[in-house]
């Protein structure tokens, strides 16, 4: 969510003068082949609204004219080669946000519930299990600033909140989606693995001296 907001600030792609109009949206990564679902640095070269898998290579960083900007770098959060890639399309990404007491509250590394670990709130966004909010369209347990309710359906991206059966947040959508994929897309899954589900490691600085 924080990265999505930053991409939409003057420091992100929306503030990059190489792009104009609708091309300020993060381009989708639609790369896939029989064994790999995503290569970093590819894009459709436009804010794609279809499922066509034609790609532009990461090395194409030249101005493409007509305000489209760079091809591969257009899929990064800054619109240049130094931004964060694969935030739109590619594969679904699990993030560290889940509904408390949902159907699958395990880390995947052990069979122990996540709630047993200390300092849980430092690493996870834990959402309340309000039974009245057990719906993927109910945002009553959202956290201000998590890029859910306040940005839902931006750029027509999918927006489905977590609930008891599907208690884990995923973001970005995947390569074969059309207009529903995007940096503001979020949805829910049950924590299971699949060839089109992924995650990424994030390093955070220590707060101790």
């Amino acid at each position: 969510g924080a990265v999505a907001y930053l991409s939409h600030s003057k420091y992100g792609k929306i503030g990059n003068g190489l792009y104009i109009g609708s091309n300020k949206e993060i381009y989708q990564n639609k790369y896939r082949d029989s064994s790999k679902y995503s290569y970093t640095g590819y894009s459709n070269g436009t804010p794609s609204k279809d499922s066509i898998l034609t790609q532009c290579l990461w090395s194409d960083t030249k101005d493409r004219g007509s305000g489209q900007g760079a091809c591969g770098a257009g899929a990064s959060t800054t619109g240049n080669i130094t931004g964060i890639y694969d935030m739109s399309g590619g594969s679904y990404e699990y993030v560290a946000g889940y509904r408390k007491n949902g159907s699958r509250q395990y880390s995947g590394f052990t069979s122990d519930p996540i709630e047993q670990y200390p300092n849980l709130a430092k690493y996870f966004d834990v959402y309340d299990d309000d039974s009245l909010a057990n719906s993927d369209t109910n945002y009553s347990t959202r956290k201000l600033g998590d890029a859910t309710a306040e940005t839902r359906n931006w750029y027509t991206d999918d927006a489905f909140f977590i609930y008891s059966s599907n208690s884990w947040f995923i973001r970005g959508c995947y390569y074969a989606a059309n207009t529903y994929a995007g940096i503001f897309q979020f949805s829910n899954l049950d924590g299971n693995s699949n060839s089109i589900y992924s995650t990424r490691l994030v390093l955070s600085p220590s707060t101790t001296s």
Side-chain angles (χ1 to χ4, degrees), residues 9 24 27 34 38 43 47 53 58 61 78 82 88 98 105 110 127 132 146 173 182 208:
S9 75
K24 287 185 175 292
Y27 296 165
S34 59
S38 181
S43 86
L53 304 181
W58 68 271
T61 58
T78 56
T82 63
S88 175
Y98 73 97
Q105 294 310 311
T110 72
Y127 291 77
L132 298 177
D146 64 3
C173 213
T208 60

Side-chain angles (χ1 to χ4, degrees), residues 19-128:
Y19 305 85
I20 63 172
S22 64
N23 290 299
K24 287 185 175 292
E25 183 179 353
I26 307 299
Y27 296 165
Q28 291 182 22
N29 181 349
K30 290 187 176 294
Y31 182 92
R32 78 173 295 265
D33 63 20
S34 59
S35 61
K36 301 177 182 67
Y37 282 91
S38 181
Y39 273 148
T40 293
Y42 282 72
S43 86
N44 243 45
T46 63
S48 175
K49 303 301 181 186
D50 54 45
S51 58
I52 296 174
L53 304 181
T54 303
Q55 295 294 290
C56 306
L57 297 176
W58 68 271
S59 58
D60 180 5
T61 58
K62 297 180 180 179
D63 186 341
R64 300 174 65 229
S66 303
Q68 286 184 284
C71 183
S76 84
T77 54
T78 56
N80 59 46
I81 202 168
T82 63
I84 300 173
Y85 286 85
D86 305 327
M87 297 292 288
S88 175
S91 61
Y92 289 100
E93 289 192 23
Y94 278 111
V95 298
Y98 73 97
R99 181 187 171 103
K100 188 176 182 180
N101 297 324
S103 60
R104 290 179 62 87
Q105 294 310 311
Y106 305 97
S107 66
F109 296 103
T110 72
S111 60
D112 299 320
I114 286 177
E115 279 83 0
Q116 72 157 348
Y117 296 106
N119 302 319
L120 190 65
K122 181 179 179 180
Y123 303 104
F124 290 88
D125 286 328
V126 182
Y127 291 77
D128 293 337

